[in-house]
C-alpha cells in the first residue's frame, strides 16, 4: 500500500551530493512527489564540494578531487545504478563509470618523488617494529577509549617519515595533528587498499570531473520528477517547538537580500547539511594569491541551532581550528600538451592511468594528478587540465621563498616545475598555462580531533522531523571525506524519518576477511 504524502514538504538545506541523493531516494524508494521536495542552495550552482567549472579561455577550477572506490561505496553505487547516463542512452551512471574505469585502469608508476626529482621505490612501506605495534594497537583499541587523541599522539616521529605515511596522508589528506580515531576508521574501512596504496589500483575514476559525471546526471534525474531547486537562498536559523524533543517549527531564510520565514507544518521534514568542507573557499589567479576567509552560513546555522537544543553536536570542534584544517589546491589549464608530454615521460603513466604524484621532500608537501582528458564536458581538444594541492600552505617554498598561501598561481606553478626539474621548459609552460589557486579553510575540518558526541546522529534522539546529512554527522564505522558518507547519511535520514522499512547497504568489514588480513600483514613487513 502506497503511503499518502499529500501536502507534506521536505526541505533540504544545502545543494550538495547528500541533498541530491536524499531527494533521489525519496522519489525512487518512497514514491514521494518530486514537487514537494525543496533543495535550498546558497550558491548559484548545485554540487557543493563536487564542483568543476570554467572554460578553456578563462581556465578551469576543481576545488578538490574525489577518488571513488568500488568495494566501499556501497550506497553510492546503489544510487548511481538508478541514474541515467547523459551521454550513453540505456546505461546508468554506475555502468558508465565502470565501463570508463575498466577501459582506463589506474596503476601509478610514480607515487613519490624526492628532492632530486627522482621517482622513489615505494614497494616497501618503511615500517619498523615500533610503527607496526602502534598500528596494531590503533586498530584494536575501541574508539571510546581514544577520545580526542591525535595521530601524532599515537605514533612516533619515524612513522611520519615512512613511505606509507607519505602515500596514505596525501591520498586521504591526513595531517599528523588530525584525529587518531579517523585514521583508525580509514585503516579498517580501506584495509583492502593497504597492499596497493603504492599504485592506487583501487581508485575508481569517473569519465569527467565529479560535477560533470555525477552532479549533472543527478540534477537532470530530479528535474524529471519536478523537484524544486531554490538557488541563491540561505537558511540562517531554525525555530523549535518548546519542551523536550526536537521538532522544527519554522525556518528563517534570506533571498535577494530579503528575510523570510517558512512555517514547518506537521509532517514536513527538514534535512540539513551542517557544516561544509569547501565553504568560504577563495580563488586566486596567476597574479594574485587567494584570501583566507572565516565561517560561512552553514557553520553559523549549525552553531545557532546547536545552542538551542542538546543532541545537535558541537561545531566548535570542527570550525574553530582553521589553522589545522586548511590547505590549498590549484587547477592548471594548459593551452598545449607540453607539460603533459613531459609529465607522461617522467611518470611513465599516460594521463588518467596514474595517480597522485607526491613530492615528499617539498616544504608544502605538494601533490599533483593528471586525469584522463578531456576532464570537462566543454573542454577544447587542445586544452589540458591538471590538479594539485599542498598540505602545508603556511610553509615557505623550496624554490619560491614565500608561504604557499601568499603565492600567485604563477609562483605555485614555478615551484612545481622546479621540483620536477622541468626548468628548461619552464618559461614556455608558464606562458601557455593558467594556474588558479584555491584556499579552503575547512577542507579537513571533519578530521579534527573530537569527542564522540561532537557530531550529531543522522536523526538525533527525540527528533520528529530533523536530520543531518553532512560530513559532520555521526555514522558508526564509516569514514568521512568520502562521497559514500554523504550518500549513506542521506539514505539513512530519508528512511528513518519516513519510517521506510528498506535496508541501507551495509558497511563491508574487510578487516574480518582472512585473506585481506594476511595481505595487510605481509605488506607491513615489506
Amino acid at each position: 500500500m502506497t503511503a499518502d504524502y499529500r501536502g507534506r514538504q521536505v526541505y533540504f538545506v544545502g545543494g550538495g551530493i547528500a541533498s541530491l541523493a536524499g531527494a533521489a531516494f525519496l522519489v525512487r524508494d518512497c514514491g514521494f512527489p518530486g514537487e514537494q521536495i525543496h533543495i535550498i542552495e546558497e550558491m548559484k550552482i548545485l554540487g557543493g564540494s563536487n564542483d568543476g567549472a570554467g572554460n578553456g579561455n578563462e581556465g578551469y577550477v576543481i576545488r578538490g578531487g574525489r577518488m571513488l572506490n568500488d568495494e566501499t561505496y556501497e550506497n553510492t553505487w546503489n544510487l548511481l545504478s538508478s541514474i541515467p547516463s547523459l551521454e550513453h542512452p540505456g546505461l546508468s551512471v554506475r555502468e558508465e563509470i565502470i565501463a570508463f574505469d575498466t577501459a582506463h585502469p589506474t596503476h601509478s608508476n610514480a607515487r613519490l618523488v624526492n628532492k632530486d626529482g627522482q621517482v622513489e621505490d615505494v614497494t616497501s612501506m618503511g615500517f619498523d617494529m615500533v610503527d607496526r605495534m602502534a598500528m596494531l594497537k590503533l586498530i584494536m583499541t575501541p574508539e571510546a577509549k581514544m577520545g580526542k587523541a591525535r595521530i601524532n599522539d599515537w605514533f612516533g616521529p619515524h612513522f611520519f617519515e615512512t613511505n606509507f605515511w607519505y602515500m596514505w596522508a596525501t591520498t586521504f589528506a591526513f595531517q599528523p595533528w588530525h584525529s587518531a580515531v579517523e585514521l583508525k576508521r580509514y585503516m579498517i574501512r580501506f584495509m583492502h587498499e593497504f597492499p596497493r596504496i603504492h599504485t592506487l589500483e583501487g581508485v575508481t575514476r569517473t569519465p569527467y570531473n565529479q560535477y560533470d559525471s555525477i552532479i549533472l546526471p543527478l540534477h537532470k534525474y530530479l528535474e524529471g520528477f519536478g523537484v524544486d531547486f531554490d538557488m541563491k537562498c540561505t537558511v540562517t536559523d531554525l525555530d523549535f517547538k518548546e519542551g523536550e524533543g526536537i521538532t522544527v517549527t519554522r525556518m528563517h531564510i534570506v533571498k535577494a537580500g530579503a528575510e523570510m520565514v517558512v512555517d514547518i507544518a506537521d509532517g514536513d521534514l527538514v534535512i540539513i547539511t551542517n557544516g561544509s568542507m569547501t565553504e568560504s573557499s577563495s580563488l586566486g589567479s596567476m597574479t594574485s594569491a587567494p584570501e583566507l576567509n572565516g565561517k560561512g552560513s552553514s557553520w553559523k546555522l549549525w552553531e545557532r541551532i546547536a545552542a538551542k537544543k542538546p543532541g545537535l553536536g558541537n561545531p566548535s570542534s570542527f570550525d574553530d581550528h582553521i589553522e589545522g584544517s586548511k590547505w590549498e589546491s590549484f587547477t592548471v589549464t594548459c593551452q598545449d600538451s607540453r607539460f603533459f608530454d613531459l609529465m607522461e615521460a617522467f611518470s611513465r603513466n599516460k594521463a588518467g592511468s596514474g595517480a597522485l604524484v607526491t613530492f615528499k621532500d617539498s616544504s608544502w608537501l605538494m601533490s599533483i594528478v593528471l586525469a584522463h582528458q578531456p576532464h570537462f564536458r566543454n573542454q577544447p581538444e587542445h586544452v589540458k587540465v591538471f590538479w594539485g594541492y599542498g598540505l602545508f600552505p603556511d610553509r615557505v617554498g623550496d624554490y619560491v621563498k614565500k608561504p604557499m598561501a601568499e603565492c600567485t598561481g604563477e609562483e605555485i606553478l614555478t615551484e612545481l616545475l622546479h621540483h620536477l626539474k622541468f626548468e628548461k621548459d619552464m618559461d614556455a609552460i608558464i606562458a601557455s598555462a593558467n594556474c588558479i589557486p584555491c584556499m579552503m579553510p575547512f577542507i579537513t575540518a571533519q578530521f579534527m580531533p573530537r569527542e564522540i558526541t561532537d557530531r550529531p546522529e543522522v536523526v538525533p534522539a527525540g527528533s520528529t522531523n530533523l536530520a543531518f546529512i553532512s560530513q559532520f554527522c555521526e555514522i558508526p564505522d564509516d569514514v568521512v571525506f568520502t562521497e559514500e558518507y554523504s550518500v549513506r547519511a542521506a539514505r539513512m535520514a530519508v528512511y528513518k524519518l519516513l519510517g521506510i522499512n528498506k535496508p541501507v547497504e551495509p558497511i563491508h568489514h574487510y578487516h574480518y576477511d582472512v585473506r585481506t588480513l594476511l595481505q595487510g600483514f605481509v605488506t607491513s613487513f615489506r
Side-chain angles (χ1 to χ4, degrees), residues 192-502:
H192 60 289
E193 293 301 332
F194 181 46
R196 56 190 185 189
I197 189 67
H198 61 299
T199 63
L200 283 182
E201 291 176 60
V203 171
T204 304
R205 304 282 191 191
T206 55
Y208 302 106
N209 63 83
Q210 275 77 56
Y211 178 80
D212 282 339
S213 291
I214 296 176
I215 301 302
L216 276 181
L218 259 173
H219 185 188
K220 186 172 181 62
Y221 173 80
L222 294 173
E223 279 185 328
F225 288 93
V227 171
D228 170 46
F229 298 95
D230 201 353
M231 309 303 292
K232 300 181 75 172
C233 181
T234 304
V235 177
T236 59
D237 203 357
L238 301 178
D239 293 340
F240 295 92
K241 183 178 180 180
E242 292 186 7
E244 296 183 4
I246 300 170
T247 300
V248 180
T249 58
R250 193 175 291 110
M251 186 164 54
H252 297 264
I253 64 176
V254 175
K255 186 169 185 178
E259 297 183 5
M260 293 175 276
V261 171
V262 175
D263 289 323
I264 306 300
D266 289 345
D268 292 352
L269 305 178
V270 178
I271 302 176
I272 293 180
T273 301
N274 56 307
S276 167
M277 300 182 300
T278 49
E279 187 170 83
S280 304
S281 59
S282 169
L283 300 180
S285 69
M286 282 292 277
T287 57
S288 66
E291 298 178 352
L292 180 63
N293 297 322
K295 298 174 188 177
S297 61
S298 70
W299 292 110
K300 292 176 181 177
L301 172 62
W302 188 14
E303 288 180 344
R304 290 188 185 109
I305 64 175
K308 294 181 178 183
K309 285 282 184 178
L312 302 188
N314 175 27
S316 176
S317 287
F318 310 103
D319 66 4
D320 283 334
H321 307 279
I322 288 177
E323 293 307 305
S325 65
K326 70 179 181 182
W327 46 254
E328 188 172 352
S329 69
F330 53 94
T331 312
V332 183
T333 304
C334 305
Q335 295 298 322
D336 59 39
S337 65
R338 185 188 296 262
F339 178 82
F340 270 60
D341 294 340
L342 289 168
M343 194 64 202
E344 287 179 351
F346 171 81
S347 65
R348 295 175 292 118
N349 277 115
K350 286 190 67 66
S353 71
L356 279 175
V357 177
T358 294
F359 304 92
K360 62 185 288 286
D361 298 318
S362 80
S363 298
W364 302 343
L365 193 52
M366 187 162 46
S367 301
I368 62 169
V369 61
L370 275 61
H372 181 269
Q373 304 294 299
H375 199 44
F376 292 80
R377 290 183 185 274
N378 68 342
Q379 185 177 325
E381 187 174 352
H382 72 278
V383 170
K384 309 292 181 185
V385 181
F386 73 94
W387 179 85
Y389 78 106
L391 276 176
F392 299 121
D394 290 332
R395 294 182 181 177
V396 174
D398 301 291
Y399 300 95
V400 177
K401 297 300 182 180
K402 294 168 62 175
M404 186 183 188
E406 298 176 10
C407 285
T408 65
E410 180 175 345
E411 290 168 331
I412 290 172
L413 191 52
T414 298
E415 179 83 2
L416 169 65
L417 295 171
H418 276 297
H419 276 289
L420 284 165
K421 310 304 179 188
F422 288 175
E423 288 90 350
K424 181 170 68 70
D425 296 272
M426 183 178 296
D427 291 344
I429 291 172
I430 291 176
S432 67
N434 183 5
C435 177
I436 301 178
C438 177
M439 176 61 74
M440 297 178 284
F442 304 103
I443 188 60
T444 52
Q446 67 280 359
F447 283 161
M448 295 306 294
R450 59 176 176 82
E451 297 291 351
I452 198 165
T453 56
D454 286 345
R455 297 197 299 223
E457 295 179 28
V458 173
V459 178
S463 172
T464 64
N465 65 353
L466 176 68
F468 295 99
I469 57 172
S470 76
Q471 299 288 310
F472 301 92
C473 62
E474 176 57 28
I475 304 176
D477 298 330
D478 211 351
V479 291
V480 290
F481 211 17
T482 62
E483 308 280 50
E484 174 64 16
Y485 203 87
S486 296
V487 175
R488 181 182 294 275
R491 198 174 189 185
M492 292 170 62
V494 165
Y495 286 7
K496 186 166 184 178
L497 286 176
L498 287 181
I500 301 299
N501 186 24
K502 291 185 178 181

Side-chain angles (χ1 to χ4, degrees), residues 156-219:
H158 179 268
F159 176 78
F160 299 101
E161 298 296 326
T162 61
N163 286 335
F164 166 81
W165 175 252
Y166 284 120
M167 292 187 289
W168 197 270
T170 53
T171 298
F172 300 114
F174 276 109
Q175 302 277 29
W177 54 83
H178 282 159
S179 167
V181 169
E182 298 303 335
L183 178 62
K184 167 191 170 71
R185 287 195 183 189
Y186 261 78
M187 288 303 304
I188 292 174
R189 188 83 158 100
F190 289 104
M191 188 170 286
H192 60 289
E193 293 301 332
F194 181 46
R196 56 190 185 189
I197 189 67
H198 61 299
T199 63
L200 283 182
E201 291 176 60
V203 171
T204 304
R205 304 282 191 191
T206 55
Y208 302 106
N209 63 83
Q210 275 77 56
Y211 178 80
D212 282 339
S213 291
I214 296 176
I215 301 302
L216 276 181
L218 259 173
H219 185 188

Side-chain angles (χ1 to χ4, degrees), residues 53-198:
N55 58 64
N57 293 325
E58 298 172 339
Y60 292 97
V61 173
I62 320 160
R63 287 179 294 181
R66 302 288 169 260
M67 291 184 290
L68 310 183
N69 184 261
D70 212 52
E71 292 90 344
T72 56
Y73 279 47
E74 300 94 349
N75 291 278
T76 305
W77 298 135
N78 177 279
L79 169 68
L80 297 182
S81 295
S82 304
I83 309 302
S85 162
L86 295 181
E87 291 189 346
H88 302 94
L91 290 185
S92 68
V93 171
R94 162 66 169 163
E95 291 168 328
E96 180 181 59
I97 291 173
I98 294 305
F100 175 83
D101 191 63
T102 301
H104 304 90
T106 298
H107 185 99
S108 174
N109 295 314
R111 285 288 278 116
L112 298 182
V113 177
N114 63 28
K115 63 179 181 296
D116 298 317
Q118 299 169 334
V119 175
E120 297 237 305
D121 179 359
V122 291
T123 52
S124 169
M125 293 296 101
F127 292 142
D128 61 17
M129 283 306 298
V130 174
D131 298 327
R132 295 185 189 103
M133 294 305 296
M135 183 67 76
L136 181 63
K137 183 180 177 183
L138 175 77
I139 292 172
M140 295 182 66
T141 301
E143 288 186 15
K145 292 186 177 181
M146 296 175 66
K148 298 183 76 168
R150 301 169 186 266
I151 298 171
N152 54 11
D153 294 331
W154 212 265
F155 295 93
H158 179 268
F159 176 78
F160 299 101
E161 298 296 326
T162 61
N163 286 335
F164 166 81
W165 175 252
Y166 284 120
M167 292 187 289
W168 197 270
T170 53
T171 298
F172 300 114
F174 276 109
Q175 302 277 29
W177 54 83
H178 282 159
S179 167
V181 169
E182 298 303 335
L183 178 62
K184 167 191 170 71
R185 287 195 183 189
Y186 261 78
M187 288 303 304
I188 292 174
R189 188 83 158 100
F190 289 104
M191 188 170 286
H192 60 289
E193 293 301 332
F194 181 46
R196 56 190 185 189
I197 189 67
H198 61 299

Side-chain angles (χ1 to χ4, degrees), residues 191-192 195 509-522:
M191 188 170 286
H192 60 289
H509 295 285
Y510 292 102
H511 58 296
Y512 294 138
D513 181 79
V514 174
R515 286 175 298 179
T516 302
L517 287 170
L518 180 59
Q519 289 172 343
F521 178 77
V522 171

